[in-house]
């Protein structure tokens, strides 16, 4: 079992940057695929980015490709999402998740709010 806790969200202006962190507790997630998802008001939860357990494979939604970077530090049991050139449409609650593959996530954090103003 893994417990995840996101942090780093906040209110920023368009064009600004934020770095989200997801700290794990309990079992280490060095062997898990880690992902970031987001859910805007009135919308379904969407995939944002994912990173393989080895850290050498990353995947991004087209909407964030080139702006967001996912990374992790297994020793610190933490995954990060560096968000640059933020846009108002990036406004959402961001969740981190851990799973055995890119399509099946078993553990989820509580979410952190990111709000981007014009």
């Amino acid at each position: 079992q893994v417990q995840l806790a996101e942090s780093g969200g906040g209110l920023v202006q368009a064009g600004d940057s934020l770095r989200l962190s997801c700290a794990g507790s309990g079992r280490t997630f060095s062997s898990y695929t880690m992902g970031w998802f987001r859910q805007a008001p009135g919308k379904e939860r969407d995939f944002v980015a994912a990173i393989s357990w080895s850290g050498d494979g990353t995947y991004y939604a087209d909407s964030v490709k080139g702006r967001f970077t996912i990374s992790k530090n297994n020793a610190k049991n933490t995954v990060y999402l560096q968000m640059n050139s933020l846009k108002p449409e990036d406004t959402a609650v961001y969740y981190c998740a851990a799973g055995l593959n890119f399509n099946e996530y078993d553990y989820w954090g509580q979410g952190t709010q990111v709000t981007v103003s014009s």
Side-chain angles (χ1 to χ4, degrees):
Q1 298 292 317
V2 174
Q3 294 180 329
L4 305 173
E6 303 93 335
S7 63
L11 174 62
V12 299
Q13 295 182 329
D16 286 352
S17 297
L18 277 176
R19 184 181 66 191
L20 305 183
S21 298
C22 177
S25 62
R27 182 177 180 179
T28 59
F29 53 60
S30 61
S31 296
Y32 287 97
T33 294
M34 300 297 300
W36 285 95
F37 296 77
R38 66 186 182 186
Q39 186 170 24
K43 298 183 179 180
E44 296 183 349
R45 186 174 299 183
D46 292 328
F47 168 79
V48 176
I51 186 168
S52 64
W53 67 267
S54 64
D56 61 355
T58 57
Y59 302 88
Y60 299 92
D62 289 340
S63 59
V64 306
K65 189 175 299 182
R67 298 188 298 120
F68 291 10
T69 302
I70 187 172
S71 63
K72 66 174 181 175
N73 187 320
N74 288 336
K76 296 182 178 180
N77 223 28
T78 302
V79 62
Y80 306 94
L81 185 68
Q82 177 66 45
M83 305 184 295
N84 298 327
S85 301
L86 283 163
K87 305 175 181 179
E89 50 263 45
D90 295 320
T91 295
V93 176
Y94 283 71
Y95 301 87
C96 65
L100 297 179
N101 59 61
F102 290 98
N103 294 316
E104 298 181 23
Y105 292 88
D106 303 305
Y107 309 104
W108 295 82
Q110 82 288 348
T112 185
Q113 177 70 49
V114 173
T115 302
V116 184
S117 65
S118 300

